[in-house]
Amino acid sequence: MMKAMFTSNPKKLKEINITNVSTIIGEGTVIQGDLIYAGDLHIDGKIVGNITAEKGSGATLTLSKLGSVQGNINVPTVVIDGEVQGDVMASERVQLISNSRITGNVQYNLIEMEVGAEVNGHLVRQQVERSNVAQIPLQDAGKEELS
């Protein structure tokens, strides 16, 4: 089983499984235009345009230190070790490896950031409701305590 690790310390970051990569954009390849995909995408080349995962696809984007994106990224899970000039929006997880350089805002649910990673923009955490615990309305709880 192939695992992506961009650090010399395997305990430092969680491994991301890349055995199901459905699309690879190789070094020296330049794509101009927006890209919409499902599955897992690995980029060693250059994308000039926006990258979007199909809704509900659970897609992962991996941008290696050889890769770059000039445009916005909107995917559930993203691992960046290259350069992005644009906003990054990840509904699930963002992992920034030490070579990553982002000029733009990063919206995330969970984030991991290695020493050396650079973000020139805002980091904005998205609130995701994932609680399995039933919520007690505050007004009702307050009334019971006052009675």
Side-chain angles (χ1 to χ4, degrees):
M1 180 184 303
M2 188 173 169
K3 301 279 185 173
M5 294 294 297
F6 299 101
T7 181
S8 59
N9 183 352
K11 294 181 182 180
K12 194 174 199 179
L13 296 173
K14 294 180 182 178
E15 295 179 1
I16 295 192
N17 188 345
I18 61 167
T19 52
N20 295 327
V21 172
S22 53
T23 306
I24 297 174
I25 298 172
E27 184 179 4
T29 301
V30 178
I31 295 179
Q32 294 185 4
D34 294 344
L35 182 62
I36 300 171
Y37 75 101
D40 293 340
L41 172 63
H42 181 91
I43 301 172
D44 290 329
K46 181 177 183 177
I47 305 291
V48 179
N50 300 321
I51 301 174
T52 305
E54 288 183 359
K55 291 185 180 186
S57 67
T60 297
L61 167 66
T62 304
L63 180 66
S64 79
K65 64 183 175 182
L66 303 172
S68 68
V69 174
Q70 292 178 352
N72 296 329
I73 297 172
N74 189 352
V75 299
T77 301
V78 61
V79 179
I80 299 174
D81 198 26
E83 183 178 350
V84 176
Q85 294 178 11
D87 294 338
V88 176
M89 292 150 280
S91 58
E92 293 178 19
R93 177 176 165 195
V94 174
Q95 186 173 345
L96 302 178
I97 310 304
S98 62
N99 294 311
S100 62
R101 302 287 178 264
I102 299 175
T103 303
N105 299 322
V106 178
Q107 294 181 22
Y108 64 92
N109 180 30
L110 298 172
I111 190 167
E112 294 181 45
M113 190 169 180
E114 267 191 14
V115 172
E118 185 178 305
V119 176
N120 296 304
H122 293 91
L123 293 174
V124 180
R125 186 171 192 285
Q126 299 174 351
Q127 297 295 330
V128 177
E129 293 183 30
R130 296 194 303 176
S131 176
N132 293 331
V133 179
Q135 297 293 320
I136 299 172
L138 293 177
Q139 292 176 346
D140 293 341
K143 288 178 185 176
E144 290 175 13
E145 290 179 14
L146 295 175
S147 301

